[in-house]
Amino acid sequence: MNDQPTHPDASPIGDAPKPPITGRAVFQAELDRLRIREKAHTREGDALAAARRRLPMVAVDPQTPLTGPKGPVPLIDLFDGRSQLIAYFHMWHPGRPAAQQCEGCTFNTSHVTEPAYLHSRDVSYAVLSEGSYEESSRYRDFMGYTVPWYSVPQESVDRLIAGRYFGILACYLRDGEQVYETYWTSGRGNEAMAPSYGLLDRTVYGRQEDWEDSPQGWPQRWGSKGGQFRSADGRPMAQQPRLQAGRDDDLGPLSEGSTRCACPLHN
């Protein structure tokens, strides 16, 4: 399947200009000069991580109720006995089919599949979805996500979102029976979840998005308003392999008491 770019009039990538050809010695010399900047970038990233470790923290009600596969569960139980928790707050559009669910949240969540390395550092990981558990968990099953999945009932939204929005990545610390939020980010800060972007940044044509600083004529086939995460049929890209494998994407009826999403995207 060929994914339809945000800019459909863009030339095929096979017709794009190519970098100049040179010998191995010249190539390596140019790469060595770039490596100096890459190492500086890495050291600055280390310095930012060190600053994060020195942030203050804010108390969060450890008994904030969430909904999991066995029903109501307090926030503190999501730590699963560990001292830290990373939670991704997944947007949800109630009553909308799988094809209309959040492309960015699908992109981010699809990348996180192996928590063993987090567990070795005493860190748990969970997805906290907007909306009802019954509906959103069907999406989890369709996508084949293996990480713990919970929903945030309306009564708990203000306690956890605190004036922000779903689509954030948050970190928590447990101290005995108390829970504290230690960090959060959103937007491009969530790219830490998605190594696809890090890998694309190392290719000659990059992400092929129209905001990138690329040489003249380089392919920039995608925008940056969500279309870069969707296929030609409008679905989040990560859904395609699931459909091809024969998985059922029927999310079932709206949960009792829920209202069909009427956000600006669907209004």
Side-chain angles (χ1 to χ4, degrees):
M1 187 197 76
N2 293 320
D3 292 326
Q4 178 71 24
T6 304
H7 307 301
D9 56 344
S11 300
I13 193 168
D15 297 336
K18 310 288 191 294
I21 300 173
T22 188
R24 173 64 64 177
V26 173
F27 168 74
Q28 190 59 48
E30 291 289 337
L31 188 58
D32 288 344
R33 280 191 284 272
L34 179 63
R35 197 76 78 209
I36 294 171
R37 296 174 59 191
E38 287 183 333
K39 289 182 178 180
H41 178 75
T42 298
R43 287 191 291 270
E44 178 60 18
D46 293 341
L48 286 169
R52 292 187 197 105
R53 294 192 290 272
R54 289 164 172 79
L55 287 171
M57 59 187 183
V58 61
V60 178
D61 182 356
Q63 297 303 315
T64 300
L66 300 164
T67 306
K70 297 181 180 179
V73 58
L75 173 65
I76 196 168
D77 282 11
L78 272 59
F79 286 78
D80 197 23
R82 300 183 179 92
S83 64
Q84 299 177 83
L85 169 70
I86 299 173
Y88 181 69
F89 287 80
H90 197 294
M91 294 181 186
W92 189 253
H93 301 297
R96 297 292 172 175
Q100 295 180 16
Q101 294 304 326
C102 180
E103 65 275 21
C105 289
T106 300
F107 174 76
N108 291 332
T109 305
S110 297
H111 283 80
V112 184
T113 59
E114 180 48 75
Y117 300 98
L118 297 176
H119 293 172
S120 72
R121 271 65 172 180
D122 205 31
V123 179
S124 289
Y125 178 88
V127 176
L128 276 57
S129 177
E130 192 174 12
S132 76
Y133 179 82
E134 291 77 12
E135 189 180 4
S136 68
S137 66
R138 296 186 192 110
Y139 190 67
R140 174 208 60 196
D141 294 343
F142 162 60
M143 293 301 297
Y145 297 146
T146 57
V147 296
W149 184 283
Y150 301 87
S151 72
V152 184
Q154 193 58 43
E155 64 186 281
S156 299
V157 171
D158 287 344
R159 301 192 213 179
L160 297 176
I161 297 299
R164 295 166 293 188
Y165 44 82
F166 281 84
I168 65 174
L169 182 70
C171 298
Y172 299 92
L173 175 68
R174 179 176 65 86
D175 183 13
E177 298 303 312
Q178 302 302 312
V179 171
Y180 302 90
E181 184 178 328
T182 61
Y183 177 75
W184 75 275
T185 189
S186 65
R188 292 197 63 187
N190 290 342
E191 289 181 9
M193 302 173 65
S196 289
Y197 264 163
L199 293 172
L200 286 170
D201 286 342
R202 283 151 178 79
T203 66
V204 66
Y205 295 127
R207 305 180 188 191
Q208 303 170 45
E209 295 177 10
D210 55 17
W211 60 270
E212 290 178 286
D213 180 4
S214 294
Q216 183 68 33
W218 248 232
Q220 293 185 313
R221 308 163 68 238
W222 306 95
S224 57
K225 303 297 183 182
Q228 72 272 35
F229 303 132
R230 290 191 177 271
S231 299
D233 60 2
R235 286 177 172 271
M237 288 179 190
Q239 292 184 8
Q240 297 299 339
R242 279 75 174 176
L243 292 169
Q244 292 164 7
R247 292 185 187 173
D248 185 1
D249 70 342
D250 183 5
L251 302 181
L254 265 171
S255 301
E256 183 178 354
S258 297
T259 303
R260 185 175 168 88
C261 177
C263 74
L265 181 64
H266 298 118
N267 191 356

